[in-house]
């Protein structure tokens, strides 16, 4: 499949239809390019693990268009998650909360929790909203590279990694270039699992 211009409405429609059909799509975010599949379809999520060569017990981050869409995957929404997402979404921060039973089981690595993120990239936002309109609650989207390799920050990196068999939306070079911060809000007291570009001081100030 070709690399498509991410700012073209026809590209977004084609990618959203592919996601709705359970196919893989590479999309840009402000952090790195992600290898996406609908998170509410376990068979689709398994395709991510197979394509990356990623162990099935390594959970994936679910990307959503906004905080309201995140509730489809969350069994609860702690005060810490509410405060953090109010300040840092859309943006390069993921929150871990208790997972709604029976939803995104494969994407979450069968854990009782799920990591959720709302990306701050116009192409990612356009695709997430188009996919949501097509019935896709959210997409699991780890970095679009083989497991253990360097995370891609351009569409060319992704195409070089996976070849012509993957639909890639080109949104230019990722402005951040490293993975999102991850904050675990499922334990009562928030715990910073991965810093990303957000500092511990900034996160603590938001709480």
């Amino acid at each position: 499949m070709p690399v498509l211009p991410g700012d073209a409405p026809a590209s977004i429609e084609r990618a959203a239809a592919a996601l709705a059909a359970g196919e893989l799509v590479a999309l840009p975010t402000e952090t790195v390019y992600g290898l996406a599949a609908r998170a509410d379809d376990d068979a689709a999520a398994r395709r991510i693990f197979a394509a990356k060569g990623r162990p099935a017990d390594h959970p994936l981050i679910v990307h959503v268009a906004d905080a309201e869409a995140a509730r489809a995957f969350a069994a609860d929404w702690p005060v810490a998650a509410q405060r953090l997402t109010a300040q840092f979404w859309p943006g390069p921060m993921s929150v871990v909360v208790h997972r709604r039973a029976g939803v995104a089981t494969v994407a979450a690595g069968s854990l009782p929790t799920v990591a959720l993120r709302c990306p701050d990239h116009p192409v990612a936002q356009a695709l997430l909203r188009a996919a949501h309109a097509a019935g896709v609650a959210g997409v699991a989207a780890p970095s679009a590279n083989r497991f253990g390799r360097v995370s891609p920050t351009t569409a060319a990196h992704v195409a070089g990694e996976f070849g012509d068999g993957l639909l890639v939306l080109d949104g230019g070079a990722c402005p951040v270039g490293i993975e999102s911060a991850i904050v675990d809000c499922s334990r009562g007291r928030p715990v910073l699992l991965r810093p990303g570009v957000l500092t511990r001081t900034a996160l603590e100030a938001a709480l």
Side-chain angles (χ1 to χ4, degrees), residues 8-157:
S11 300
I12 296 297
E13 291 177 10
R14 181 172 175 180
L19 288 171
E23 299 173 14
L24 299 180
V25 172
L27 78 161
T29 76
E30 74 280 18
T31 56
V32 298
Y33 274 72
L35 182 63
R38 59 184 305 165
D40 55 355
D41 182 333
D42 285 347
R46 286 190 186 96
R47 294 188 179 98
I48 297 176
F49 289 100
K52 285 178 63 71
R54 181 183 177 110
D57 59 353
H58 283 45
L60 310 175
I61 295 174
V62 176
H63 292 60
V64 293
D66 51 35
E68 182 178 355
R71 305 299 179 92
F73 297 92
D76 55 30
W77 201 246
V79 172
Q82 181 176 346
R83 290 176 177 171
L84 289 170
T85 56
Q87 180 154 342
F88 297 114
W89 275 13
M93 181 203 65
S94 303
V95 294
V96 177
V97 297
H98 291 107
R99 179 170 59 87
R100 187 181 296 274
V103 178
T105 303
V106 170
S110 297
L111 295 176
T113 55
V114 63
L116 298 163
R117 180 163 99 87
C118 176
D120 186 19
H121 191 290
V123 175
Q125 277 289 321
L127 178 57
L128 287 167
R129 294 186 184 283
H132 193 274
V136 179
V139 301
S143 57
N145 55 277
R146 307 287 182 182
F147 186 66
R149 292 170 61 88
V150 176
S151 298
T153 56
T154 69
H157 292 161

Side-chain angles (χ1 to χ4, degrees), residues 138-195:
V139 301
S143 57
N145 55 277
R146 307 287 182 182
F147 186 66
R149 292 170 61 88
V150 176
S151 298
T153 56
T154 69
H157 292 161
V158 180
E161 190 83 352
F162 291 102
D164 296 333
L166 178 66
L167 192 159
V168 182
L169 289 180
D170 189 351
C174 300
V176 174
I178 60 172
E179 283 82 354
S180 65
I182 301 177
V183 185
D184 189 346
C185 297
S186 70
R187 310 182 190 183
R189 180 186 178 93
V191 177
L192 181 63
L193 302 181
R194 185 173 73 188

